[in-house]
Amino acid sequence: MIIKSVNLETVCGITSSIPDNILNEVAFAGKSNVGKSSLINALMNRKALARTSAQPGKTQTINFYNVNDAVYLVDLPGYGYARANVEIKAKWGQMIENYLHVSKRLKAVFLLIDIRHEPSENDQMMYEWMVHQGFAPIIIATKSDKLKRAQIPVHVKMIREVLQAEPDTIVIPFSAETKDGREEIWKLIEELAELIDTEKDAEAEKQKKPESSRPDKKPRWKASGHPVPKKTQKKKAAKKKVKK
């Protein structure tokens, strides 16, 4: 996606109501310091729109980022911050749970997990809870640049096994440093959030051009390399006889 505009439109605290948005939403969940803010900055081609910090537990609100007036990227509070007291942890958990239940426009949930380590107990609980609630969370395995390329498939398999993930669960290795995985994530967002299909736009633009400027299209069976059907071969042979 070409990022034309980004705006932090709504910030929800513990006592705030979830906005009744018109645009579709995709949400990002993950434990504290897993790299949610870095991911969101990378997706939006911004350096510091979402505030990053070495201190875990920085995001304590639900932040709604309006992208191109087309979709909301929703940054959920980080869970599992050890230094937060039990009461605060419970409230953050309620915020996340409330949003996932209340939002009418939520189309997909991305669960971020540090690719270097086994999913924590909190990660496992969050994944299980999302599946139980009827979601099909997409796993983003963050900080992939910290591993050698040959190690990445091994760690992705480890994440799947520890989470006991459903067979069709998507796992995308991602690096905020190299932007590896960014295009794949955006492609999923565009599909799941039901954004305008750029291919349809291109086709509509093509239809506006005069016939002479359009390249001739091959029949689908030819373009795909399928053999010519025997009936078609017979018709061609018959036409040749008629010409003779």
Side-chain angles (χ1 to χ4, degrees), residues 2-20:
I2 299 173
I3 308 300
K4 297 178 181 178
S5 65
V6 180
N7 178 36
L8 176 55
E9 190 169 288
T10 308
V11 177
C12 292
I14 292 172
T15 59
S16 304
S17 299
I18 301 300
D20 188 10

Side-chain angles (χ1 to χ4, degrees), residues 10-186:
T10 308
V11 177
C12 292
I14 292 172
T15 59
S16 304
S17 299
I18 301 300
D20 188 10
N21 289 321
I22 298 174
L23 303 176
N24 288 335
E25 304 165 1
V26 294
F28 298 86
K31 69 182 181 181
S32 300
N33 215 28
V34 74
K36 279 194 293 87
S37 296
S38 296
L39 167 67
I40 289 172
N41 285 332
L43 289 175
M44 296 188 288
N45 284 331
R46 301 293 192 275
K47 290 184 178 180
L49 186 65
R51 288 181 298 173
T52 60
S53 174
Q55 179 186 354
K58 193 70 177 178
T59 304
Q60 301 178 15
T61 53
I62 301 176
N63 299 330
F64 291 77
Y65 295 92
N66 183 327
V67 182
N68 292 353
D69 287 326
V71 64
Y72 285 103
L73 303 191
V74 184
D75 186 7
L76 300 175
Y79 56 81
Y81 178 39
R83 292 187 182 180
N85 63 46
V86 175
E87 184 180 354
I88 293 297
K89 285 181 184 178
K91 287 181 178 178
W92 289 350
Q94 288 170 6
M95 287 174 65
I96 296 172
E97 185 173 344
N98 181 49
Y99 167 72
L100 295 178
H101 278 304
V102 170
S103 174
K104 298 175 183 177
R105 289 290 181 173
L106 180 60
K107 296 298 180 180
V109 181
F110 291 85
L111 179 59
L112 280 65
I113 293 176
D114 190 328
I115 196 171
R116 299 171 297 176
H117 313 296
E118 286 191 1
S120 66
E121 186 177 344
N122 285 318
D123 291 328
Q124 295 173 55
M125 288 174 62
M126 179 59 75
Y127 178 80
E128 290 170 6
W129 183 85
M130 288 180 177
V131 172
H132 182 70
Q133 297 299 319
F135 293 99
I138 299 161
I139 308 299
I140 299 180
T142 62
K143 307 184 182 183
S144 64
D145 57 289
K146 305 298 182 184
L147 297 178
K148 293 180 180 178
R149 190 165 293 276
Q151 294 176 305
I152 291 176
V154 177
H155 283 245
V156 166
K157 183 180 179 183
M158 175 262 293
I159 290 172
R160 286 183 177 278
E161 290 175 348
V162 174
L163 291 179
Q164 298 181 20
E166 299 291 322
D168 57 349
T169 298
I170 299 171
V171 181
I172 304 174
F174 171 78
S175 166
E177 295 293 326
T178 66
K179 305 299 188 293
D180 284 348
R182 180 183 183 275
E183 295 305 317
E184 192 174 351
I185 294 169
W186 261 122

Side-chain angles (χ1 to χ4, degrees), residues 177-221:
E177 295 293 326
T178 66
K179 305 299 188 293
D180 284 348
R182 180 183 183 275
E183 295 305 317
E184 192 174 351
I185 294 169
W186 261 122
K187 184 178 179 182
L188 279 173
I189 292 174
E190 290 174 331
E191 291 174 0
L192 296 167
E194 302 169 6
L195 300 184
I196 295 172
D197 192 336
T198 53
E199 290 183 3
K200 289 181 181 178
D201 288 347
E203 185 63 28
E205 193 66 27
K206 191 185 295 182
Q207 294 300 326
K208 295 178 184 177
K209 295 180 180 179
E211 288 290 334
S212 58
S213 66
R214 292 185 208 160
D216 293 333
K217 283 190 175 181
K218 294 183 179 179
R220 180 171 291 179
W221 53 265

